[in-house]
Amino acid sequence: MPPAALSIQWLGRVDYHQGLALQDRLVSERRAGSIPDQLLLLEHDPVYTIGRTPDQTSLRDAALLPHPVVQINRGGQATYHGPGQLVGYPILDLRNHGQDLHRYLRALEELLIRICAAFGVTARRREGLTGSWVADRKIASIGVGVRHWISMHGFALNVCGDLEPFQQITPCGIAGVAMTSLEKETRRPVTVQAAAIVASDLFPECLPGQP
C-alpha cells in the first residue's frame, strides 16, 4: 500500500466514549471515500468492554467492577482497557485488503507478534484463540467490528502498568488466563508511546493486500 493511502495518528490518552464516537465518524467517512485508511493509536481511561453477546458471564458481577462497562459492536467477551495499554483502531476498507475477516485477524496477530519481538519478547499465536501470547500468558487481545467491510475496534497490547483490573473479570472468556505485559516480560521500563512508534512502523507491512 502506498504511504499516502494510510493515515496513522497517535492520540494519547482518550476517554472510551470519545474514542468510540471518533471511530464511528471515521468509519462513515471511510465508507464514503472521503478519507484514506486510518490507524488510531492511543491509551484509554480505565474501562471494561464486552461484545454484543447474550453471554455476559465473563464480566462476573458487573455491579462490583471498579470501572465502567461498555457494550460495543465487536466480537468477543469482556476485556479491560486502561493506562499502560496500547490500543490500536484500524479503520480500513477491507475490500482493499483481501475482503477476508480471518485473514485480517491473522494480520493483526502478526503485527502484535512483531511489536513484541522489537522489544525482545517472543510472542505467538495459540490454536483456536485470537490474540497474542507469551508462553501461556496473554499479552494482547483482538476484537474487531466491521460495517459494510469497513473495520473498527482492533487490538490492545499490554505494555506497562497495572494488570490487576483483569483479575476482576474472565478476560476474553478464558478461565484461569494469566495476563502479562511487555514491561513484565522484559523487566525493564517500556512506554506506551515507544510501543506506538514501533506499531506505526510495522503496521503497513503487516496489512494483507489484494487477494
Side-chain angles (χ1 to χ4, degrees), residues 104-124:
Y104 174 53
L105 292 172
R106 302 293 82 77
L108 293 182
E109 288 172 342
E110 181 65 22
L111 170 67
L112 292 163
I113 288 168
R114 293 191 192 186
I115 295 171
C116 290
F119 291 93
V121 174
T122 302
R124 63 182 181 90

Side-chain angles (χ1 to χ4, degrees), residues 27-197:
V27 166
S28 296
E29 292 176 2
R30 185 67 190 99
R31 186 184 177 201
S34 57
I35 60 171
D37 285 343
Q38 308 282 311
L39 174 62
L40 309 179
L41 297 171
L42 56 131
E43 288 180 276
H44 276 310
D45 296 329
V47 66
Y48 294 100
T49 69
I50 190 166
R52 295 194 181 281
T53 170
D55 179 9
Q56 304 277 306
T57 56
S58 59
L59 287 171
R60 300 185 192 171
D61 190 341
L64 299 179
L65 291 174
H67 305 298
V69 176
V70 181
Q71 188 176 59
I72 55 175
N73 65 322
R74 62 156 170 82
Q77 290 289 332
T79 195
Y80 165 75
H81 298 306
Q85 186 183 73
L86 174 63
V87 174
Y89 292 141
I91 312 294
L92 310 176
D93 188 341
L94 293 179
R95 292 170 297 183
N96 299 327
H97 301 287
Q99 202 165 342
D100 184 326
L101 188 56
H102 293 287
R103 188 179 177 194
Y104 174 53
L105 292 172
R106 302 293 82 77
L108 293 182
E109 288 172 342
E110 181 65 22
L111 170 67
L112 292 163
I113 288 168
R114 293 191 192 186
I115 295 171
C116 290
F119 291 93
V121 174
T122 302
R124 63 182 181 90
R125 298 177 175 87
R126 284 184 67 178
E127 185 69 29
L129 298 172
T130 301
S132 297
W133 304 74
V134 180
D136 60 349
R137 303 176 295 281
K138 192 168 191 183
I139 196 166
S141 302
I142 296 173
V144 303
V146 177
R147 297 179 186 169
H148 305 282
W149 287 107
I150 308 298
S151 67
M152 62 185 299
H153 304 299
F155 63 84
L157 172 66
N158 300 328
V159 177
C160 56
D162 186 13
L163 297 175
E164 178 61 27
F166 284 106
Q167 302 299 318
Q168 311 300 314
I169 60 172
T170 304
C172 303
I174 306 171
V177 66
M179 305 299 291
T180 190
S181 67
L182 288 177
E183 191 168 88
K184 191 171 181 180
E185 294 297 325
T186 60
R187 300 184 182 180
R188 66 176 189 270
V190 184
T191 68
V192 174
Q193 195 159 7
I197 291 169

